[in-house]
Every structure is written in C-alpha cells, then in structure tokens.
C-alpha cells in the first residue's frame, strides 16, 4: 500500500528504510523524499516507525556518537531536506 502518493513510496519501502536505520520521518524523507511535497503522509510514516527501538538512538545512548554521526547523512550543519531543494 502506498504511504506517499507524491513520490510512490510504499509501506514496505518505509519499513525497509527503518530497518536500515532511519528512525524519524525526516530520516525517511532524506532517503526517499516521502513527506517532502504535500506532507500528508508524515503522520502515517510516524505511525509505521512507531516508538520502537532505534539503532542510532541506542548507539548514542551507549556513547558511540561519533560512529552514528559519521553514518548519519542528516547530522550535518544543514538539514537533509534543504539539500534536496
């Protein structure tokens, strides 16, 4: 089922990105553009992500912030959504 009609992103794709480490709608947007046009899918994406464990968050809590920040494309000085514009 489509989550983002604007960019044709499915639930399966959102879940795959989440399994790869995207923990927030903004991180999903940076890898798929979902939620960056009309924005009507952002709540649905948040619902799919839920409040479960986040690999990046767990690494930060365990003191591995350098590895997380190096692997996180959204950790730069500019938000990832600005880069797509």
């Amino acid at each position: 089922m489509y989550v983002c009609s604007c960019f044709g992103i499915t639930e399966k794709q959102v879940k795959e990105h989440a399994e790869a480490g995207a923990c927030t709608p903004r991180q999903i947007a940076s890898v798929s553009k979902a939620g960056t046009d009309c924005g009507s899918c952002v709540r649905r994406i948040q619902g799919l992500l839920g409040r479960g464990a986040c690999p990046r968050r767990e690494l930060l809590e365990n003191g591995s912030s350098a590895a997380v920040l190096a692997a996180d494309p959204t950790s730069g000085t500019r938000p990832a959504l600005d880069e797509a514009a």
Side-chain angles (χ1 to χ4, degrees), residues 34-71:
T36 62
D37 194 25
C38 77
S40 67
C41 61
V42 175
R43 287 186 183 212
R44 177 77 176 130
I45 292 168
Q46 182 62 52
L48 289 170
L49 295 174
R51 297 184 184 267
C54 174
R56 288 189 179 124
R57 193 173 303 123
E58 289 173 3
L59 287 172
L60 284 171
E61 290 171 358
N62 292 329
S64 301
S65 60
V68 172
L69 294 175

